[in-house]
Amino acid sequence: MMGFETAKSERSARTGFGSFGLDRHAEWRDDPAKLASLALQADARFAVCAGDTPILRKSGDVQGAWHTQVEATALGEERERVFLGTQGDAPRFGVLIDKALADPASVGTLKERPDLFVTDLRSIAVQGLVPPAELAPLGAAKALLDWHARHRFCAVCGAGTQPKSGGWKRACTGCSAEHFPRTDPVVIMLAVRDDKCLMARQSRFPANMYSCLAGFVEPGETFEDAVRRETWEEAGIRAGKVKFLASQPWPFPSSIMIGCIAEALNDDIVLDKVELEQGRWFTREEAILMLRRQHPDGLTAPVKIAIANTLLWAWAMEGELP
Ligand SMILES: [Zn+2]
């Protein structure tokens, strides 16, 4: 794939979900006969989600995202199928089945099967439950299938919609409007001033973990403006220069994180207590200790798969500045 070697060396590719690794073959999406024949190839594999819960294969202590067609078909009735692309020549699809099949309260749930492993995608990512190369396509499958599950009706006229283009579009049966899968931009930024950086924590974070500020980009905003607005709203810090460092697909449910480093122009933090529980400045030395999980007060940085870790690492270890 053109440019793939270059892409692999980028910071973005080293984030969790950042290394998709499949050739998307968009030129085949509108050829249903081609997609049907690809699905019948012996090396075709399927990532299966029951609602938004991935169903992993399990063999001993090893889990994997990919099922054969026979295995996938046996898991439950297919509600949606999307064509993700190919790994080399091997086709890769995503399949949506009934979310009740992953619900521990339901009878006959897939959670009971010893040859399967059923847990949420966030746990799969944080705990490294599938090989790194499988995480990004699994995340993409989950995000795309989840979009289908939420877009059964036309936002224009309210009539039903039908999947098209290998799952990369839905078309309205009433007014013919076309709807495309969303990815919602979120800016995430490390604000720095002199030799310190600003991090904060939400009450839902693991105890003692601090992370970067973040927020959705609003209509009419550049990424840089969104960084400056969020830094001001959440922490009372005015930001000047903003520099892009890395991006990360974040399928919860379907965001793209735009990671930046920002120049803070004042020190006096005024925290938005609705969004944040605590926030403070950390010296570079403290940031390094947090990344190494050696901070004397037990404070930690986000896990390696998170782009917040990438941003902190870039500033603390690699000397990136706005
Ligand atoms: Zn419509």
Side-chain angles (χ1 to χ4, degrees):
M1 197 191 314
M2 194 160 350
F4 187 55
E5 290 305 316
T6 308
K8 272 200 297 193
S9 69
E10 289 166 351
R11 279 201 180 103
S12 304
R14 298 197 295 269
T15 63
F17 305 106
S19 198
F20 186 66
L22 306 184
D23 189 333
R24 292 171 182 253
H25 283 294
E27 74 278 13
W28 293 342
R29 289 175 184 169
D30 287 312
D31 185 346
K34 174 74 180 174
L35 296 184
S37 84
L38 288 170
L40 292 172
Q41 274 183 218
D43 55 358
R45 293 291 180 275
F46 300 75
V48 179
C49 291
D52 61 4
T53 306
I55 309 296
L56 304 181
R57 295 173 74 244
K58 184 179 172 198
S59 172
D61 291 336
V62 180
Q63 287 85 227
W66 300 118
H67 304 263
T68 65
Q69 181 162 44
V70 170
E71 290 165 345
T73 303
L75 292 176
E77 186 195 344
E78 181 176 302
R79 301 282 174 92
E80 299 283 354
R81 180 191 293 189
V82 297
F83 173 58
L84 299 172
T86 61
Q87 180 115 52
D89 292 328
R92 297 286 184 259
F93 293 87
V95 166
L96 182 71
I97 59 175
D98 188 348
K99 68 179 178 192
L101 291 166
D103 179 1
S106 301
V107 181
T109 169
L110 297 171
K111 284 198 170 187
E112 291 162 6
R113 275 181 43 180
D115 59 333
L116 300 174
F117 192 89
V118 181
T119 192
D120 64 287
L121 183 62
R122 200 178 289 264
S123 300
I124 292 169
V126 170
Q127 296 170 36
L129 297 177
V130 296
E134 297 184 6
L135 184 63
L138 180 62
K142 181 257 179 197
L144 189 52
L145 293 168
D146 194 48
W147 174 79
H148 282 284
R150 292 164 186 247
H151 291 79
R152 300 197 180 287
F153 298 95
C154 177
V156 179
C157 76
T161 58
Q162 290 289 334
K164 300 274 183 199
S165 299
W168 293 91
K169 186 159 91 179
R170 292 186 78 88
C172 177
T173 54
C175 73
S176 302
E178 293 183 331
H179 303 277
F180 294 90
R182 291 190 56 93
T183 185
D184 298 319
V186 175
V187 285
I188 177 163
M189 53 279 177
L190 188 69
V192 301
R193 181 168 165 83
D194 302 325
D195 204 41
K196 53 194 197 304
C197 71
L198 171 65
M199 290 194 288
R201 47 172 290 109
Q202 299 176 11
S203 54
R204 64 177 179 84
F205 284 2
N208 295 329
M209 191 192 88
Y210 283 77
S211 187
C212 298
L213 302 178
F216 285 101
V217 179
E218 296 188 344
E221 260 181 340
T222 63
F223 294 159
E224 291 88 341
D225 284 344
V227 166
R228 285 186 280 263
R229 176 182 53 76
E230 285 286 344
T231 307
W232 172 248
E233 288 177 359
E234 294 195 348
I237 298 298
R238 292 286 182 197
K241 279 188 285 179
V242 173
K243 187 165 92 181
F244 170 81
L245 292 183
S247 63
Q248 176 188 34
W250 191 245
F252 303 102
S254 54
S255 292
I256 174 78
M257 309 297 286
I258 300 116
C260 299
I261 187 165
E263 171 197 27
L265 302 175
N266 58 306
D267 313 279
D268 44 329
I269 296 169
V270 181
L271 221 54
D272 174 358
K273 285 287 187 179
V274 177
E275 300 254 340
L276 299 168
E277 181 180 82
Q278 267 165 359
R280 48 165 279 209
W281 295 100
F282 294 84
T283 64
R284 189 182 301 262
E285 192 180 13
E286 277 188 291
I288 292 170
L289 291 172
M290 290 163 80
L291 286 166
R292 291 181 175 154
R293 310 215 158 238
Q294 294 169 348
H295 193 284
D297 301 332
L299 305 182
T300 62
V303 290
K304 200 123 193 154
I305 61 135
I307 193 171
N309 181 293
T310 310
L311 300 179
L312 191 62
W313 186 279
W315 173 73
M317 304 288 213
E318 299 171 341
E320 282 284 4
L321 293 171

